Structure formats: structure tokens, C-alpha cells
């Protein structure tokens, strides 16, 4: 009887956990399941209890710019070690305990600047985990067991014109294709592989790579792949690689596009450290595009609209909220780029100062480079910080200035937040 009772309790616990996961949000790739920075879970705290957010668990990891991905009860992260030799690693942890489920290590010699580690989030889809390293190593893992399903050395195979900061764009899955932006030559800036076998399906464009992750949108009733490359904003057929349209945006000095394009109301918004901001209007009855407006200042100190480095802005109605070149939080009018207000309290003013934005209902959660979480309201009237607390300490591998930074994007899943620096991965409970 005692044995039966233990089995029943174990069975009930498993069923309860599965039920909780079935009603919870995953964060299976860059900026969430839909790559839109939207967190849909309810029952979330309205303010923090103190200045430090209690940590549920913490596990040691190496350095890296890649954020965690959370899917099917597991947390995936990549990192880098330099001793006794240079390697990149892919890890999988249990979301509730932080216990390691599997880990894979491979040799990886860096020839790039800012060497803290991998940039791209792991993309988890349909039982597979796809990891793209800074030097172009692409691995497909069995997401549960960690076995390698297939792998490719893209730098060797595609003669990549390696970006000075390495390969950064998280892979994206569309139907049976896994699509990456790598800047390969010739005509292999964007490459699609069979997501199950690794076989090349198509390649397109002769551009150098940028650091901006591709997204999938719907235009004129069709699924369209949007890739902001080193030279163009490109709309491609995700099944064939055929080019629907190109909007040229060549680099002034070198490729530096990082922020993800924001798609809303049949408009596509981009922001760039040097080129400023531009809004494209997408035709609704055909696959075509036209420029609505483009605003840029004379230099990184004298800016128009938004000159963003890394932070993908958030659009709410007719207003866009983002971080300018030195950390200035701004609201701009999406209809023309006019500045509505500027606030200097969300993050300290510094070159490339960064905030990641995540929408949850009517609130915007901000994770700044000091490792703080802010629960806020953003309106044309200004910034309202409801609550603010420290989640994780900044570290110096990602940037050895101003006391270090936390530039990796956090994940929000299962009513928890998952964040990393160069030393650890942490999980904290955000449920009411």
C-alpha cells in the first residue's frame, strides 16, 4: 500500500507538471515563440517585494551574449570557454531545478572581436534544438537527449565573409526549413536547410551578414521572410528563397544592424546606430514596399528619432519606444519619427547602453544592462516605473567597461524569468 501511494503521488506530480506546462508559455527562440517580444502569461506579480529579486536557482556557465531559450520544461543556453582551449558549448537544464540534462562541447577558435562567446539563441522546435555558434558551427540536437542529429561547418562550406563581431542571428524555422543569415559567398547570405536532415534547400543574396535576426510576417496573404542583411532589407519566399522585394540600406562604414525589425499595422520599422530610423509601408494587395519616412541625425551624439544599437524597440499603437545611441529611452511618433519624449532614468547614459523590452498585457518589462528588471508603463505622456529590482549582476566579459554589462536577452516562461551573465544562469519566480 505504501508503495502504491508513492507511485500515485509521483504520477499525480507528473500529471500536474504537464498540465502546468500545457497552459504556460514557452520562450522557444529569440524574443519568444513568435519573435515579437510578447509574453502572454497571466497571474504575474505587479511589483517587486524588495531591491533584489529572490533567485529560485542558479547554475554556473561560461560567457556569452546568447540569451536562454525555454521549451518543454527545459532551458537551453550556449557559452564559451578559453582554457585549456577555445570551445563553445550548448547546455540543457531542467527548468524547475537547474539540474543539467545534457551538455555538448566543440572546439571553436575565434577570429572575431568581442570574444565573450556565442551570440545566437538556441531555437527549439518540434523536438529539435538548433544552435548556431559565433564562427558558423551549426548543430541540430535531439532536444531531449542531446544527441547530434546533424551538423554543418558553415564557415568552411560557404566561405563566409565573417562579420567583425561574428555570426549572431538566431536560426528561424518555417515549415520544414531552418533558415540562417551567415553572409556566405557566393549568393549565400541567407541559407535554408531541411530542418530534419541538414540538407541545403536554397540560398540567396550576395550580401554580407548583419546581426539582425530574421522574422516571418504575412504580406498580401503570403508568408514572407524578412531579413535585414548588411546591405538590404529583403523579403524572401521562405520555401524557395525567391526575392519578393529589396529595400537597399547599404552600410556607411561597416555592417552594424543589430535590432530586429518590428512589424505592425503592415509597416516595418528598423533602427540603426548610424542610419537612424526608417519606416517601410508594405502593400497589402501585392508583394511590394515603399519608404514612408527615414530620420537620422548628423552623428551618434546628435540623433533623430532612434539611433539604436542592440535593443529591439516596442511599438504600441502609433508610438514606438526604444533606446537611442547613448541609452536615452525615447518615445517617437510612428507616423513620422518625431520625438515625443526622452527619459534618462531607465538605464545609465553610456555609448551602446542597452535595454531589452518585453510586453506583458498593458505593462512593459525592461531588462537593462545593469541586470535590473523594471515593470513599467509606456505611454505618449511618459515613462512610469512601477517597480524596479536587481535580478543578476553585470559582468565584464561582454564589455569590460562601466563595471560590466548584461547584454543577453532574458527569457520569460512558466511565470519565471531566466537570465544570464558571463558567470551564471539564473531563474526567478514572477508568479503572484
Amino acid at each position: 500500500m505504501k508503495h502504491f501511494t508513492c507511485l500515485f503521488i509521483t504520477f499525480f506530480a507528473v500529471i500536474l507538471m504537464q498540465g502546468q506546462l500545457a497552459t504556460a508559455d514557452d520562450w522557444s527562440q529569440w524574443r519568444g515563440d513568435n519573435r515579437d517580444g510578447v509574453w502572454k502569461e497571466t497571474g504575474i506579480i505587479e511589483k517587486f517585494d524588495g531591491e533584489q529579486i529572490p533567485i529560485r536557482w542558479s547554475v554556473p556557465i561560461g560567457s556569452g551574449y546568447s540569451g536562454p531559450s525555454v521549451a518543454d520544461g527545459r532551458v537551453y543556453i550556449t557559452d564559451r570557454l578559453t582554457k585549456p582551449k577555445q570551445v563553445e558549448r550548448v547546455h540543457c537544464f531542467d527548468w524547475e531545478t537547474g539540474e543539467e540534462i545534457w551538455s555538448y562541447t566543440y572546439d571553436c577558435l575565434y577570429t572575431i572581436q568581442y570574444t565573450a562567446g556565442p551570440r545566437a539563441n538556441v531555437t527549439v522546435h518540434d523536438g529539435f534544438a538548433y544552435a548556431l555558434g559565433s564562427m558558423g558551427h551549426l548543430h541540430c540536437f535531439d532536444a531531449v537527449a542531446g544527441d547530434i542529429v546533424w551538423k554543418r561547418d558553415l564557415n568552411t562550406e560557404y566561405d563566409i565573409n565573417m562579420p567583425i563581431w561574428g555570426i549572431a542571428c538566431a536560426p528561424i524555422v518555417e515549415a520544414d526549413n531552418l533558415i540562417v543569415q551567415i553572409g556566405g559567398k557566393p549568393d549565400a547570405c541567407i541559407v535554408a536547410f531541411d530542418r530534419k536532415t541538414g540538407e541545403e534547400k536554397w540560398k540567396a543574396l550576395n550580401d554580407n551578414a548583419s546581426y539582425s535576426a530574421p522574422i516571418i510576417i504575412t504580406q498580401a496573404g503570403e508568408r514572407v521572410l524578412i531579413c535585414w542583411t548588411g546591405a538590404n532589407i529583403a523579403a524572401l519566399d521562405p520555401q524557395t528563397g525567391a526575392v519578393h522585394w529589396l529595400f537597399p540600406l547599404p552600410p556607411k562604414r561597416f555592417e552594424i544592424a543589430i535590432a530586429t525589425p518590428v512589424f505592425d499595422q503592415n509597416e516595418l520599422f528598423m533602427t540603426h546606430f548610424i542610419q537612424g530610423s526608417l519606416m517601410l509601408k508594405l502593400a497589402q494587395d501585392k508583394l511590394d514596399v515603399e519608404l514612408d519616412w527615414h530620420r537620422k541625425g548628423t552623428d551618434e551624439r546628435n540623433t533623430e528619432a532612434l539611433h539604436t544599437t542592440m535593443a529591439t524597440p516596442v511599438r504600441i499603437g502609433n508610438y514606438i519606444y526604444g533606446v537611442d545611441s547613448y541609452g536615452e529611452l525615447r518615445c517617437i511618433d510612428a507616423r513620422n519619427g518625431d520625438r515625443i519624449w526622452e527619459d534618462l532614468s531607465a538605464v545609465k547614459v553610456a555609448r551602446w547602453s542597452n535595454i531589452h523590452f518585453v510586453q506583458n498585457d498593458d505593462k512593459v518589462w525592461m531588462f537593462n544592462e545593469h541586470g535590473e528588471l523594471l515593470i513599467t508603463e509606456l505611454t505618449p505622456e511618459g515613462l512610469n516605473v512601477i517597480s524596479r529590482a536587481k535580478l543578476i549582476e553585470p559582468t565584464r566579459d561582454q564589455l569590460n567597461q562601466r563595471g560590466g554589462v548584461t547584454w543577453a536577452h532574458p527569457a520569460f516562461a512558466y511565470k519565471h524569468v531566466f537570465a544570464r551573465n558571463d558567470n551564471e544562469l539564473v531563474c526567478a519566480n514572477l508568479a503572484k
Side-chain angles (χ1 to χ4, degrees), residues 115-126:
T115 58
R119 283 80 164 123
N121 271 48
V122 175
T123 299
V124 187
H125 181 87
D126 191 27

PDB file of all heavy atoms in Angstrom, residues 115-126:
ATOM      1  N   THR A 115      34.955  38.826 -27.852  1.00  0.00           N
ATOM      2  CA  THR A 115      35.086  37.370 -27.848  1.00  0.00           C
ATOM      3  C   THR A 115      34.405  36.690 -26.660  1.00  0.00           C
ATOM      4  O   THR A 115      34.756  35.569 -26.302  1.00  0.00           O
ATOM      5  CB  THR A 115      36.577  36.989 -27.859  1.00  0.00           C
ATOM      6  OG1 THR A 115      37.230  37.587 -26.711  1.00  0.00           O
ATOM      7  CG2 THR A 115      37.266  37.481 -29.117  1.00  0.00           C
ATOM      8  N   ALA A 116      33.411  37.323 -26.062  1.00  0.00           N
ATOM      9  CA  ALA A 116      32.792  36.755 -24.867  1.00  0.00           C
ATOM     10  C   ALA A 116      32.044  35.454 -25.129  1.00  0.00           C
ATOM     11  O   ALA A 116      31.783  34.711 -24.191  1.00  0.00           O
ATOM     12  CB  ALA A 116      31.848  37.764 -24.219  1.00  0.00           C
ATOM     13  N   GLY A 117      31.674  35.170 -26.367  1.00  0.00           N
ATOM     14  CA  GLY A 117      31.007  33.892 -26.595  1.00  0.00           C
ATOM     15  C   GLY A 117      29.917  33.961 -27.635  1.00  0.00           C
ATOM     16  O   GLY A 117      29.733  34.979 -28.308  1.00  0.00           O
ATOM     17  N   PRO A 118      29.146  32.872 -27.787  1.00  0.00           N
ATOM     18  CA  PRO A 118      28.096  32.805 -28.812  1.00  0.00           C
ATOM     19  C   PRO A 118      27.082  33.927 -28.670  1.00  0.00           C
ATOM     20  O   PRO A 118      26.798  34.404 -27.574  1.00  0.00           O
ATOM     21  CB  PRO A 118      27.457  31.435 -28.562  1.00  0.00           C
ATOM     22  CG  PRO A 118      28.495  30.647 -27.834  1.00  0.00           C
ATOM     23  CD  PRO A 118      29.243  31.639 -27.003  1.00  0.00           C
ATOM     24  N   ARG A 119      26.521  34.306 -29.800  1.00  0.00           N
ATOM     25  CA  ARG A 119      25.559  35.402 -29.840  1.00  0.00           C
ATOM     26  C   ARG A 119      24.112  34.934 -29.981  1.00  0.00           C
ATOM     27  O   ARG A 119      23.195  35.568 -29.483  1.00  0.00           O
ATOM     28  CB  ARG A 119      25.855  36.320 -31.032  1.00  0.00           C
ATOM     29  CG  ARG A 119      27.030  37.266 -30.851  1.00  0.00           C
ATOM     30  CD  ARG A 119      28.366  36.615 -31.078  1.00  0.00           C
ATOM     31  NE  ARG A 119      29.406  37.632 -31.263  1.00  0.00           N
ATOM     32  CZ  ARG A 119      30.501  37.739 -30.531  1.00  0.00           C
ATOM     33  NH1 ARG A 119      30.733  36.881 -29.539  1.00  0.00           N
ATOM     34  NH2 ARG A 119      31.390  38.673 -30.779  1.00  0.00           N
ATOM     35  N   ALA A 120      23.888  33.860 -30.721  1.00  0.00           N
ATOM     36  CA  ALA A 120      22.546  33.477 -31.154  1.00  0.00           C
ATOM     37  C   ALA A 120      21.851  32.576 -30.151  1.00  0.00           C
ATOM     38  O   ALA A 120      22.428  31.605 -29.661  1.00  0.00           O
ATOM     39  CB  ALA A 120      22.625  32.780 -32.512  1.00  0.00           C
ATOM     40  N   ASN A 121      20.595  32.883 -29.859  1.00  0.00           N
ATOM     41  CA  ASN A 121      19.773  31.988 -29.046  1.00  0.00           C
ATOM     42  C   ASN A 121      19.633  30.624 -29.713  1.00  0.00           C
ATOM     43  O   ASN A 121      19.561  30.527 -30.942  1.00  0.00           O
ATOM     44  CB  ASN A 121      18.366  32.561 -28.876  1.00  0.00           C
ATOM     45  CG  ASN A 121      18.237  33.459 -27.677  1.00  0.00           C
ATOM     46  OD1 ASN A 121      19.068  34.338 -27.463  1.00  0.00           O
ATOM     47  ND2 ASN A 121      17.186  33.261 -26.897  1.00  0.00           N
ATOM     48  N   VAL A 122      19.535  29.584 -28.921  1.00  0.00           N
ATOM     49  CA  VAL A 122      19.128  28.276 -29.419  1.00  0.00           C
ATOM     50  C   VAL A 122      17.660  28.367 -29.851  1.00  0.00           C
ATOM     51  O   VAL A 122      16.838  28.985 -29.164  1.00  0.00           O
ATOM     52  CB  VAL A 122      19.304  27.194 -28.343  1.00  0.00           C
ATOM     53  CG1 VAL A 122      18.770  25.841 -28.819  1.00  0.00           C
ATOM     54  CG2 VAL A 122      20.776  27.082 -27.947  1.00  0.00           C
ATOM     55  N   THR A 123      17.343  27.771 -31.001  1.00  0.00           N
ATOM     56  CA  THR A 123      15.963  27.704 -31.479  1.00  0.00           C
ATOM     57  C   THR A 123      15.453  26.286 -31.264  1.00  0.00           C
ATOM     58  O   THR A 123      16.050  25.327 -31.762  1.00  0.00           O
ATOM     59  CB  THR A 123      15.883  28.074 -32.973  1.00  0.00           C
ATOM     60  OG1 THR A 123      16.351  29.417 -33.154  1.00  0.00           O
ATOM     61  CG2 THR A 123      14.461  27.965 -33.487  1.00  0.00           C
ATOM     62  N   VAL A 124      14.359  26.142 -30.513  1.00  0.00           N
ATOM     63  CA  VAL A 124      13.813  24.830 -30.182  1.00  0.00           C
ATOM     64  C   VAL A 124      12.490  24.656 -30.913  1.00  0.00           C
ATOM     65  O   VAL A 124      11.589  25.499 -30.799  1.00  0.00           O
ATOM     66  CB  VAL A 124      13.605  24.679 -28.666  1.00  0.00           C
ATOM     67  CG1 VAL A 124      13.209  23.243 -28.329  1.00  0.00           C
ATOM     68  CG2 VAL A 124      14.855  25.077 -27.900  1.00  0.00           C
ATOM     69  N   HIS A 125      12.380  23.548 -31.666  1.00  0.00           N
ATOM     70  CA  HIS A 125      11.178  23.338 -32.468  1.00  0.00           C
ATOM     71  C   HIS A 125      10.978  21.854 -32.729  1.00  0.00           C
ATOM     72  O   HIS A 125      11.887  21.168 -33.214  1.00  0.00           O
ATOM     73  CB  HIS A 125      11.301  24.081 -33.809  1.00  0.00           C
ATOM     74  CG  HIS A 125      10.095  23.939 -34.695  1.00  0.00           C
ATOM     75  ND1 HIS A 125       9.019  24.775 -34.597  1.00  0.00           N
ATOM     76  CD2 HIS A 125       9.808  23.066 -35.686  1.00  0.00           C
ATOM     77  CE1 HIS A 125       8.107  24.430 -35.498  1.00  0.00           C
ATOM     78  NE2 HIS A 125       8.572  23.385 -36.169  1.00  0.00           N
ATOM     79  N   ASP A 126       9.782  21.359 -32.411  1.00  0.00           N
ATOM     80  CA  ASP A 126       9.371  20.013 -32.796  1.00  0.00           C
ATOM     81  C   ASP A 126      10.375  18.942 -32.384  1.00  0.00           C
ATOM     82  O   ASP A 126      10.709  18.042 -33.150  1.00  0.00           O
ATOM     83  CB  ASP A 126       9.143  19.968 -34.311  1.00  0.00           C
ATOM     84  CG  ASP A 126       8.464  18.684 -34.771  1.00  0.00           C
ATOM     85  OD1 ASP A 126       7.735  18.090 -33.966  1.00  0.00           O
ATOM     86  OD2 ASP A 126       8.693  18.276 -35.932  1.00  0.00           O
TER      87      ASP A 126
END
